[in-house]
Amino acid sequence: MTQQLITFEIADKRLGVDIMAIREIRAWTPPTPIPHAPSFVRGIVNLRGTVLPVVDLSDRLGWDAIAPSPRHVIIVIQIGEQMHGLVVDSVNDIVTIEPSAMQPPPDLGGGASARRLAGLISVEDRMVMVLDLRCMAIDSDAMLADAA
């Protein structure tokens, strides 16, 4: 059974997520900062009455933090019952892949970035890192412990 992914860019890196988790793609909106939030949480925005945490995906993956500008977008995803906004540079395309096309991420010593990947695929001769969204959820208990 094929799977559809939305691919997007952060700096020169191409990533993808399962299209079924995406609720919408919105223009950059500056979020309201939250005290004692992890560094990768830019803040929150109001999405039609729902408080949406906005995550700097680059920072969350252990890369350089993004300096958002009006050209950035927020991909709204649903992980379980919670919605999150992921700040990315741009959205590229919808791709359809066969399960056999997904390669497991290499074991490079257990870095945090690799643990957040479901796998890797090749699209138009470029590697796309497919995110494991279950590992991307913001752990509210950990946030509270960090704030104490």
Side-chain angles (χ1 to χ4, degrees):
M1 180 177 203
T2 61
Q3 178 183 13
Q4 287 191 312
L5 305 172
I6 293 275
T7 62
F8 53 91
E9 302 264 339
I10 297 176
D12 60 347
K13 302 163 202 69
R14 188 169 289 182
L15 296 101
V17 295
D18 187 337
I19 197 169
M20 297 307 290
I22 296 179
R23 296 298 163 250
E24 68 181 85
I25 298 169
R26 19 179 319 138
W28 170 250
T29 305
T32 302
I34 299 296
H36 303 290
S39 64
F40 60 83
V41 176
R42 290 288 182 160
I44 57 170
V45 294
N46 183 345
L47 180 65
R48 292 180 294 283
T50 300
V51 175
L52 179 74
V54 177
V55 174
D56 180 335
L57 185 57
S58 184
D59 192 8
R60 178 78 164 133
L61 293 172
W63 300 323
D64 292 333
I66 292 174
S69 70
R71 72 174 180 83
H72 287 85
V73 296
I74 299 174
I75 300 175
V76 179
I77 60 169
Q78 185 157 358
I79 304 171
E81 297 299 315
Q82 188 176 13
M83 295 207 317
H84 296 70
L86 304 178
V87 181
V88 302
D89 290 346
S90 61
V91 175
N92 291 337
D93 210 353
I94 298 172
V95 296
T96 302
I97 63 166
E98 295 290 332
S100 61
M102 181 96 68
Q103 300 295 315
D107 182 5
L108 301 173
S113 293
R115 289 192 306 265
R116 298 192 192 319
L117 298 180
L120 301 162
I121 60 168
S122 179
V123 176
E124 298 172 2
D125 296 327
R126 283 194 64 188
M127 292 302 295
V128 175
M129 295 174 272
V130 180
L131 296 176
D132 181 348
L133 292 178
R134 296 168 301 169
C135 297
M136 296 304 299
I138 298 170
D139 184 348
S140 58
D141 293 334
M143 284 177 58
L144 292 174
D146 288 343

